[in-house]
Amino acid sequence: MIRRAALALAAWLAASSAGAVECNNVSYDGNRYAICEVDASEEQLQLFLRNDDGQVIGHFSTLEKLLAQQGKTLPFATNAGMYHSSRAPVGLYVEDGAEEMRLVTNAGPGNFGLLPNGVFCIREDRADVMETLAFQKAAPDCRHASQSGPMLVIDGELHPRFLPDSDSRYIRNGVGTSADGRRVVFAISRNAVSFHQFGSLFRDHLQLPNALYFDGNISRLHAPQLDRSDAGFMMGPIVGVVEKTETSD
């Protein structure tokens, strides 16, 4: 009886200590990645760019302090789309329903303009990666949205411009979503990878039909489960999971 009680207590403690995000270091096809998976129907995913005074947040440590003042914690965060030197978003950016930057549909320079690009859209109980023109046509009501590019996976197919033998390799990060919008997987490479390798991670290993590239060597990850919270230059948009602290109402 004592043993059964001990096992029940251990199970309860394990369940109660489970985080909002499951993060792991994995290897796939000879490359190393940090993967963080979120259930969008259960957890509070949101974007962050500026504080209440309009100043760019820029760092995970700054965001943690702001959330702590509200009785909240940050179990996961990563950079969430490309930005100008001012840290203003390059493409569509919506935070708490307020649009800061419009949708950009035309081709342009750099990875952002390598069409097709896409939008990461967070809605009630789901999150979706959508190709930009499909997003424009569907006009979903996103509570938070960030446009970036290129798309990594589009309806189960790799971006048509990705070359299997490309020697363009960098640290890269991005996000993929399931068809029902519940499963959201963020990944950052732990060694330099090509676009083809990175897209294949989402399509073939993570089995996700749509995935979007966020950025390259500036990419950073906040994942306490992995004892990791990257520092560096100020970032633009940040996506994270927010939880109330145990003592907050």
Side-chain angles (χ1 to χ4, degrees):
M1 181 174 179
I2 294 175
R3 183 173 182 272
R4 286 199 300 270
L7 289 172
L9 176 61
W12 179 84
L13 288 172
S16 64
S17 63
V21 186
E22 182 179 350
C23 293
N24 293 285
N25 288 318
V26 303
S27 294
Y28 174 68
D29 196 27
N31 295 301
R32 297 173 295 118
Y33 302 92
I35 305 290
C36 291
E37 185 162 340
V38 179
D39 184 341
S41 69
E42 298 289 339
E43 310 303 341
Q44 184 179 342
L45 260 175
Q46 63 186 85
L47 290 169
F48 305 90
L49 180 58
R50 306 181 191 278
N51 62 20
D52 290 341
D53 296 324
Q55 297 175 324
V56 174
I57 295 169
H59 301 283
F60 298 136
S61 58
T62 303
L63 180 54
E64 283 189 295
K65 291 174 184 176
L66 288 173
L67 291 173
Q69 294 170 5
Q70 304 169 27
K72 298 175 181 178
T73 61
L74 185 72
F76 156 79
T78 190
N79 55 294
M82 298 178 183
Y83 50 86
H84 298 290
S85 58
S86 65
R87 274 51 185 180
V90 173
L92 176 71
Y93 185 79
V94 178
E95 185 175 328
D96 280 330
E99 182 179 291
E100 174 163 336
M101 176 61 189
R102 63 176 177 82
L103 188 72
V104 177
T105 58
N106 54 291
N111 290 325
F112 181 93
L114 184 62
L115 301 185
N117 56 20
V119 177
F120 178 54
C121 168
I122 301 170
R123 289 179 277 178
E124 189 70 26
D125 297 329
R126 68 178 296 150
D128 298 275
V129 167
M130 303 177 69
E131 185 273 327
T132 293
L133 296 183
F135 176 89
Q136 184 182 46
K137 182 178 180 179
D141 184 16
C142 307
R143 181 167 51 88
H144 297 270
S146 181
Q147 186 181 10
S148 193
M151 288 286 286
L152 297 169
V153 186
I154 312 154
D155 296 330
E157 299 294 333
L158 295 183
H159 192 291
R161 298 282 296 276
F162 293 173
L163 302 176
D165 58 352
S166 172
D167 60 1
S168 177
R169 292 180 170 84
Y170 295 93
I171 297 295
R172 304 184 190 274
N173 84 313
V175 60
T177 56
S178 60
D180 64 5
R182 290 188 58 177
R183 183 173 173 237
V184 185
V185 186
F186 300 88
I188 182 169
S189 65
R190 298 169 60 214
N191 59 268
V193 295
S194 69
F195 272 131
H196 192 277
Q197 291 169 325
F198 198 43
S200 296
L201 170 80
F202 284 97
R203 185 189 66 174
D204 302 331
H205 181 64
L206 298 173
Q207 299 287 301
L208 295 168
N210 290 287
L212 178 66
Y213 178 66
F214 275 154
D215 220 324
N217 283 339
I218 64 95
S219 299
R220 297 204 289 280
L221 175 68
H222 173 78
Q225 287 183 35
L226 302 179
D227 294 321
R228 178 171 175 176
S229 187
D230 303 337
F233 294 111
M234 288 186 70
M235 293 173 283
I238 297 171
V239 61
V241 168
V242 176
E243 283 189 318
K244 291 184 178 180
T245 59
E246 293 180 2
T247 57
S248 64
D249 295 331

